[in-house]
Amino acid sequence: MIKENQTALSDFILVGYSEFPVLRVLLFVVFLFIYVGIILGNGLTIYVTLTDAALDSPMYFFLRKLSLLEICYTSASLPKMLANFLAENKTISLVGCAVQMYVMFVLASTECWVMTAMAYDRYVAICHPLHYKLIMNKELCLRIVTGSLTVNIFVQMGQVYLLCTLPYCGSHEINNFFCDILPLLELACGDIFVNQVYMFSATIVIVILPFLLIVASYVKIISTILKMSSVESRKKVFATCSSHLIMVSFFYGSATLVYVSPRSKETMDINKWFALFYSIFVPMLNPIVYTLRNEEVKICLKKLFKRKP
């Protein structure tokens, strides 16, 4: 009987936001516009930072990679979510679930390290300005991105493999709009100790360590800013860091609420809304925050959209 149940539950149901059936068409339209906005906004950021010589610096190199990660990350979950708003059949196969998780885990983990690199870039620029060009060279920037991506490819491969080897029986409803590790572990009917140890170890490497490095960078930055005698200099320097601080707070704040809060029926319903925030709204806000709070990017955008006589 157990074997039959495990075979029958090779497919999962993404519950998503099915508690609002009368609003599904409206939600489809809203999230379709959000998805298009994410693609266009981050795509524009990539284009501007890639083509304008004034933005040829490590800070915009990392911003460009961050925007690319946001586009790919949302593309791994949002199309399926949009389809489920209109489809009666909201199932996803175990293989489809594994692929979705793997892509999202790799991209989100790499995003953590890209955000860390952006914090380190600001630290070097503010605390060691005379050595900035020597330290933050193109080779180092490329190594940070490719190195973090390579490590996460192998780390998440092991995590997803362990999830796929678990037996699943009983309920097969995932109370979220995408496949995630915690809901799947709750559906497993086998021993998940190894999965929990692996997840804890991976979290330290790909989430906690980057966050601690970001905090350490900004402690040094704030300490340097406070030593500046000119109030205008303080404001100018802080303005260059505020956009990154806002996005880091949004991303880590919402993700922490999802993965650290106690698991219960009530918190699971709340957590899927927080998951919506860090997986969709943060990528949407990314180009807005960096554009509106960055004078260099605004100047380049004005030049781009300026009509020729």
Side-chain angles (χ1 to χ4, degrees), residues 27 68 71 84 95 110 123 185 190 196 220 242 258 275 295 297 309:
L27 291 173
L68 179 61
I71 291 174
N84 285 345
V95 173
T110 305
Y123 159 73
L185 288 178
Q196 290 175 323
K220 290 285 188 179
S242 57
V258 171
E295 289 299 326
V297 176

Side-chain angles (χ1 to χ4, degrees), residues 65-139:
K65 301 309 176 188
L66 181 65
S67 296
L68 179 61
L69 288 170
E70 300 285 31
I71 291 174
C72 298
Y73 180 76
T74 52
S75 296
S77 60
L78 251 176
K80 179 63 176 176
M81 177 185 178
L82 291 171
N84 285 345
F85 277 132
L86 303 180
E88 295 298 329
N89 184 3
K90 304 183 190 321
T91 61
I92 184 171
S93 65
L94 179 59
V95 173
C97 202
V99 171
Q100 187 185 68
M101 279 191 300
Y102 180 67
V103 172
M104 293 185 70
F105 288 172
V106 169
L107 295 174
S109 303
T110 305
E111 186 171 331
C112 291
W113 280 104
V114 170
M115 285 185 171
T116 306
M118 294 174 77
Y120 179 70
D121 173 75
R122 292 299 84 204
Y123 159 73
V124 176
I126 295 170
C127 300
H128 303 283
L130 298 179
H131 303 286
Y132 178 74
K133 289 186 178 180
L134 181 64
I135 298 173
M136 297 303 297
N137 54 69
K138 291 184 178 180
E139 185 179 355

